């Protein structure tokens, strides 16, 4: 609590106002406390004098005009309710339609964010492993520039609440007021933030659209419910089937479809983009019949619904909910509806503070750990309200094997050091002891899907094989030598890239599939978001590090002062342009793009399996970690089986036969592809 007290004191000193305005009449209208906006402290973020107005289905809105770092004027409309406040009897329920208002609503400040814990964040920054280093002199200017945003984030969390379902719309000044019908509107980026389903917000502290607005599109961010408030499920007959947070996203997507033309956007040109937990949700919307046809493209960074940690069965979710209940003074053995009534009487801050208490002993076995509250595979039943229509009632893998995923252009990717975030406090305590789980129990290296198919002796033997595959030895895990990278490579494969490439290869095996593009983000620079925030020394791109190369992450301090021609800015311009191109055209490197005309990002296909490595010099490669992928293919095909693996293994056998006849030289599991002079 000492860190919290210091930060609040600094907030008071800098702002000169009370940072917690729970009773403020402005909060009742969804306006940020005290009208504080750190952007007003930055010269390039100065507001232009225009006071734009727009009409949506609920009433009229007053926005403000901002200027991007490249001089593009754009309008920001913030804190717009897209659903009714989910309070009282609506807690844990799917969102209901928002109320209209009379007169002109002030949409110049962001709305309240959804209730989320702060203590876990303080744990991350106060209990650090040896991979994390102290601040040094070069970083202090960046930290000083970011201080208003850092304080705003703390203020937002302290004043968070359940009345939080707000959307923010950013549109180029030139688009507002123009006829957006008949395909004339701008493409729309619909952003779903990550945060382990327990943290996050759609505000400009984390997701400033500055870089994307310059590419001529409408950008939409929003808040959705988190933790137990967004993902608690007690199963059939309880009235709480789960996925309230994903249903919030669905409601926001429907709101955008109905209203985005008023902002100059085309409702038929929406691309859904999510990172981590947001990528899982993006994939759920690709699978769900209830969101079919609402968008034309998808971007999934560092996650999908096919990842082992992404969803849970209704039965397991209900067990977790009942295991969680005693931590908040509710009896876990109550009949479902009585338990729901008890949980509705618990303060929201208490519910999220104890979210980790939902984890069962078996959830902690695998070395990556588990996220406490996740989307659930809902049980089929008659719904009380049309808004309660399930997101999914089958497992994502079953839906994939049945061909139920929407066939739209998709871009997926992962970072080179995803696992660094896990041992900084996401699912494991940031301690050396957490790194040595495999020294105490070698079976923690065997995935949960495989373990039930093995005897104890087989599980131990497999654990040793896994360790030798990645580490090359069986010495104790230590951070005092060069084994760090090998260890984190192993956890990164478990956490993200094995399942990303499983999904990519399954989709690519369908000859009728829409174009699919894959990237690996490996650049390490002064703008890497979590590597900087968490003080990580390892030379790899941490989970979420790519965000500051797509958005302007104002809360992230630069690790050193950058000159205008810095490589970081070149990588940022390149990567954000690629993603903007995809939103506008369905291809990251279309003809006429401002990118180098020699750079072509080919689709990922069953035979080619090409992907883009994002570094200071982007390059196209193929056959990512062929040795590791082949190892796990054989294990899952033999021990787990099923239509997914049957299809993947059959495809890989045909592909291997072709590759074995080729004379191209393969080094280290990678095969370079020379840039082509034409784009696809």
């Amino acid at each position: 609590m000492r860190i919290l007290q210091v930060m609040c004191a600094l907030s008071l000193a800098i702002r000169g106002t009370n940072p917690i305005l729970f009773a403020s009449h402005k909060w009742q209208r969804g306006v940020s406390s005290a009208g504080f906006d750190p952007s007003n402290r930055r010269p390039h973020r100065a507001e232009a004098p225009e006071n734009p107005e727009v009409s949506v289905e609920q009433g009229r809105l007053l926005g403000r005009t901002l200027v991007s770092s490249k001089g593009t004027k754009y309008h920001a409309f913030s804190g717009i309710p897209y659903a009714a406040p989910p309070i009282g009897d609506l807690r844990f329920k799917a969102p209901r339609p928002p109320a209209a208002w009379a007169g002109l609503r002030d949409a110049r400040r962001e709305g309240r964010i959804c209730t989320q814990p702060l203590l876990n964040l303080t744990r991350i920054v106060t209990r650090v492993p040896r991979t994390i280093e102290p601040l040094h002199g070069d970083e202090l200017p960046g930290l000083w520039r970011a201080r208003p945003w850092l304080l705003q984030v703390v203020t937002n969390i302290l004043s968070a609440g359940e009345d939080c379902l707000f959307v923010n719309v950013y549109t180029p000044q030139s688009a507002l007021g123009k006829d957006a019908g008949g395909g004339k509107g701008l493409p729309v980026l619909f952003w779903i933030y990550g945060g382990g389903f327990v943290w996050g917000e759609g505000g400009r502290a984390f997701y400033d659209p500055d870089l994307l607005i310059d590419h001529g599109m409408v950008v939409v961010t929003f808040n959705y419910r988190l933790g137990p408030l967004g993902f608690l499920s007690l199963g059939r007959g309880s009235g709480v089937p789960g996925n309230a947070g994903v249903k919030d996203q669905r409601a926001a997507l429907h709101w955008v479809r109905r209203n985005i033309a008023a902002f100059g956007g085309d409702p038929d040109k929406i691309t859904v983009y999510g990172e981590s937990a947001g990528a899982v949700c993006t994939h759920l919307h690709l699978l769900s019949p209830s969101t079919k046809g609402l968008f034309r493209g998808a971007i999934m960074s560092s996650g999908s619904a096919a990842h082992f940690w992404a969803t849970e069965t209704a039965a397991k979710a209900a067990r977790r909910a009942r295991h969680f209940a005693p931590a908040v003074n509710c009896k876990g053995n109550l009949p479902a509806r009585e338990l729901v009534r008890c949980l509705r009487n618990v303060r929201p801050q208490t519910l999220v503070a104890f979210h980790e208490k939902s984890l069962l002993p078996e959830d902690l076995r695998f070395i990556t750990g588990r996220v406490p509250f996740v989307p659930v595979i809902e049980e089929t039943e008659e719904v009380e309200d049309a808004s309660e229509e399930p997101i999914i009632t089958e497992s994502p893998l079953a839906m994939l094997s049945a061909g139920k995923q929407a066939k739209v252009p998709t871009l997926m990717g992962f970072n080179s050091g995803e696992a660094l975030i896990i041992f900084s406090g996401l699912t494991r305590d940031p301690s050396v002891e957490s790194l040595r789980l495999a020294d105490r129990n070698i079976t923690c290296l065997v995935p949960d899907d495989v373990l039930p198919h093995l005897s104890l002796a087989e599980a131990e033997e497999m654990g040793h094989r896994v360790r030798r595959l990645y580490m090359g030895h069986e010495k104790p895990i230590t951070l005092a030598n060069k084994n760090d990278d090998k260890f984190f490579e192993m956890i990164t494969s478990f956490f993200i890239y094995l399942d990303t490439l499983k999904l990519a290869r399954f989709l690519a095996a369908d000859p009728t599939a829409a174009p699919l593009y894959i990237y690996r983000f490996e650049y390490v620079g002064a703008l890497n978001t979590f590597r900087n925030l968490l003080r990580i020394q390892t030379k790899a791109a941490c989970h979420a590090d790519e965000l500051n190369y797509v958005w302007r992450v104002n809360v992230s301090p630069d690790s050193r002062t950058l000159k205008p021609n810095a490589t970081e800015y070149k990588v940022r311009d390149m990567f954000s342009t690629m993603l903007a191109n995809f939103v506008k055209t369905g291809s990251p490197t279309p003809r006429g793009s401002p990118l180098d005309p020699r750079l072509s990002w080919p689709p990922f296909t069953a035979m080619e399996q090409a992907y883009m490595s994002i570094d200071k010099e982007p390059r196209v490669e193929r056959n990512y970690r062929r040795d590791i992928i082949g190892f796990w293919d054989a294990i899952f095909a033999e021990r787990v089986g099923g239509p997914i693996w049957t299809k993947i293994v059959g495809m890989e056998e045909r592909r291997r036969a072709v590759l074995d006849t080729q004379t191209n030289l393969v080094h280290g599991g990678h095969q370079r592809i020379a840039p082509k002079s034409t784009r696809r």
Side-chain angles (χ1 to χ4, degrees):
M1 293 303 293
R2 182 177 180 83
I3 283 183
L4 180 58
Q5 292 168 353
V6 171
M7 295 183 81
C8 288
L10 285 171
S11 179
L12 285 168
I14 292 176
R15 294 175 57 191
T17 59
N18 188 341
I20 311 174
L21 299 174
F22 289 102
S24 169
H25 70 284
K26 289 186 176 181
W27 279 118
Q28 305 298 321
R29 303 201 311 265
V31 180
S32 177
S33 66
F36 175 69
D37 183 356
S39 69
N40 293 335
R41 299 175 180 269
R42 301 173 62 177
H44 78 275
R45 308 296 294 154
E47 294 190 21
E50 294 89 345
N51 293 307
E53 295 184 19
V54 71
S55 292
V56 295
E57 60 186 0
Q58 302 124 280
R60 293 166 55 225
L61 295 166
L62 172 65
R64 57 177 171 161
T65 302
L66 301 175
V67 183
S68 78
S69 55
K70 292 186 177 180
T72 302
K73 284 188 177 182
Y74 66 98
H75 299 312
F77 296 87
S78 307
I80 310 167
Y82 68 84
I87 58 179
D89 289 342
L90 293 182
R91 179 186 282 185
F92 308 128
K93 291 281 192 181
R96 299 304 191 259
W101 58 81
L104 186 65
R105 180 186 176 91
D106 191 339
R108 293 175 295 177
R109 297 293 182 266
E110 294 167 2
R112 175 183 295 192
I113 71 171
C114 294
T115 308
Q116 53 197 274
L118 178 64
L119 294 180
N120 301 71
L121 297 178
T122 59
R123 180 187 70 182
I124 289 173
V125 299
T126 56
R127 296 179 60 193
V128 294
R130 289 167 58 189
T131 50
I132 296 179
E133 62 181 0
L135 284 169
H136 52 78
D138 290 345
E139 297 173 300
L140 295 180
L143 184 65
W144 183 251
R145 286 193 298 273
R147 80 194 186 286
W149 295 99
L150 288 165
L151 293 171
Q152 178 66 5
V153 168
V154 174
T155 299
N156 287 349
I157 295 177
L158 290 174
S159 54
E162 292 182 88
D163 183 1
C164 62
L165 302 185
F166 301 108
V167 66
N168 312 302
V169 181
Y170 309 96
T171 185
Q173 184 186 51
S174 59
L176 198 65
K178 290 188 176 180
D179 180 12
K184 299 177 183 177
L186 294 178
V188 179
L189 176 64
F190 181 87
W191 168 249
I192 305 177
Y193 55 78
F197 304 104
V198 73
W199 294 295
E201 58 166 289
R204 285 173 48 241
F206 288 97
Y207 307 112
D208 190 323
D210 181 279
L211 305 172
L212 297 166
I213 285 290
D214 288 324
H215 291 284
M217 66 177 68
V218 178
V219 179
V220 178
T221 67
F222 66 102
N223 301 332
Y224 63 90
R225 283 172 284 176
L226 300 162
L229 293 166
F231 294 94
L232 183 134
S233 171
L234 281 163
R236 184 185 289 117
S238 67
V240 182
N243 292 335
V246 188
K247 292 167 184 174
D248 291 344
Q249 299 163 16
R250 181 175 64 191
L253 190 52
H254 276 288
W255 186 93
V256 169
R257 288 277 299 186
R258 296 192 304 268
N259 292 281
I260 203 65
F263 300 89
D266 189 332
D268 293 323
K269 296 178 182 176
I270 297 173
T271 296
V272 178
Y273 173 18
E275 184 270 339
S276 190
V280 172
C281 296
T282 298
H283 195 197
L284 288 174
H285 295 305
L286 280 170
L287 294 168
S288 178
S290 67
T291 46
K292 185 177 182 179
L294 296 183
F295 53 99
R296 71 169 188 176
I299 303 174
M300 298 184 287
S301 296
S302 303
S304 77
H307 281 66
F308 75 91
W309 46 264
T311 61
E312 200 51 85
T313 64
K316 180 72 171 289
R319 283 181 59 211
R320 284 184 177 176
R322 291 184 178 279
H323 190 257
F324 163 76
V328 293
N329 294 319
C330 291
K331 295 180 179 179
N333 60 356
L334 288 173
R337 289 188 178 267
E338 288 185 34
L339 180 53
V340 170
R341 282 195 291 271
C342 181
L343 292 171
R344 283 198 175 119
N345 289 322
V346 178
R347 293 177 65 249
Q349 292 83 1
T350 302
L351 288 174
V352 299
F354 290 95
H355 71 283
E356 290 181 335
K357 298 296 184 181
S358 69
L359 290 172
L360 302 168
E362 61 263 34
D363 293 327
L364 304 176
R365 184 204 66 83
F366 191 44
I367 193 165
T368 60
R370 289 277 188 162
V371 178
F373 285 95
V374 299
V376 63
I377 303 162
E378 298 175 58
E379 296 176 307
T380 55
E381 62 178 330
E382 289 190 17
V383 296
E384 300 172 356
D385 186 279
S387 61
E388 293 283 1
E389 183 180 356
I391 296 296
I392 57 170
T393 57
E394 303 173 76
S395 76
L397 294 184
M399 297 183 76
L400 281 167
S401 63
K404 295 182 179 180
Q405 177 168 317
K407 293 184 178 181
V408 300
T410 301
L411 190 152
M412 299 193 301
F414 56 94
N415 296 351
S416 59
E418 299 274 9
L420 297 170
I421 192 77
I422 289 179
F423 293 95
S424 295
L426 178 64
T427 59
R428 291 294 186 189
D429 282 340
S431 64
V432 173
E433 283 303 305
S434 290
L435 301 176
R436 293 178 175 166
L437 290 173
D439 294 336
R440 300 193 298 272
N441 180 10
I442 196 67
T443 65
C444 77
L445 302 182
V446 179
D448 288 338
D449 290 345
V450 176
L451 188 67
H453 303 279
L454 304 175
S455 67
L456 177 59
E458 288 174 326
E460 291 176 342
E461 191 275 334
M462 183 174 291
H464 288 294
R465 287 176 60 197
V466 170
R467 187 162 178 161
R468 289 193 297 270
L469 172 70
Y470 289 95
M471 305 289 291
H473 63 78
E474 297 209 37
K475 298 176 183 177
I477 302 294
T478 174
L479 295 178
N481 55 41
K482 295 297 182 180
N483 292 330
D484 302 14
D485 292 342
K486 295 179 180 179
F487 175 79
F488 287 121
E489 160 75 12
M490 176 172 65
I491 309 305
T492 291
S493 74
F494 294 157
F495 180 35
I496 299 292
Y497 80 66
L498 287 176
D499 285 335
T500 296
L501 294 175
K502 173 183 70 178
L503 175 59
R505 290 180 298 151
F506 179 80
L507 294 175
D510 180 358
T512 67
L516 172 66
Y517 300 91
I518 304 294
Y519 73 83
R520 177 180 185 258
F521 189 93
E522 59 184 74
Y523 181 70
V524 176
L527 299 179
N528 288 48
T529 304
F530 277 92
R531 189 174 184 276
N532 295 342
L533 284 173
L534 300 179
R535 324 297 317 120
I536 296 171
Q537 298 180 38
T538 308
K539 298 293 185 181
C542 182
H543 187 68
D545 265 0
E546 85 286 358
L547 291 177
N548 209 6
Y549 296 88
V550 181
W551 306 85
R552 186 179 298 281
V553 183
N554 292 308
V555 76
S556 176
D558 302 346
S559 64
R560 65 178 184 277
T561 301
L562 295 176
K563 296 181 179 179
N565 63 346
T567 301
E568 283 84 349
Y569 292 147
K570 295 177 182 177
V571 174
R572 173 188 266 179
D573 285 345
M574 177 267 297
F575 192 49
S576 62
T577 298
M578 287 176 166
L579 267 59
N581 285 341
F582 180 83
V583 172
K584 294 192 289 185
T585 70
S587 168
T589 54
R591 294 182 184 276
S593 167
L595 295 169
D596 186 334
R598 296 171 297 175
L599 182 64
S600 175
W601 184 341
F604 183 97
T605 63
M607 288 296 115
E608 291 294 313
Q609 297 193 12
Y611 63 95
M612 181 69 75
S613 284
I614 305 298
D615 206 340
K616 58 183 177 182
E617 293 295 335
R619 62 195 183 277
V620 179
E621 300 184 352
R622 62 163 67 121
N623 302 334
Y624 187 73
R625 297 291 193 267
R626 191 178 178 187
D627 54 340
I628 291 174
I629 298 298
F631 174 88
W632 287 111
D633 280 356
I635 288 176
F636 275 91
E638 177 186 355
R639 299 291 186 171
V640 179
I644 296 284
W645 287 107
T646 298
K647 191 169 186 177
I648 288 175
V649 170
M651 178 199 73
E652 287 292 355
E653 288 176 350
R654 294 188 298 273
R655 180 171 178 267
R656 194 173 300 112
V658 173
L659 290 176
D660 287 345
T661 63
Q662 295 178 344
T663 58
N664 294 332
L665 184 61
V666 177
H667 289 293
H670 298 288
Q671 182 173 358
R672 297 288 178 89
I673 304 174
K676 299 179 180 179
S677 59
T678 59
R679 298 192 179 109
R680 301 188 186 186

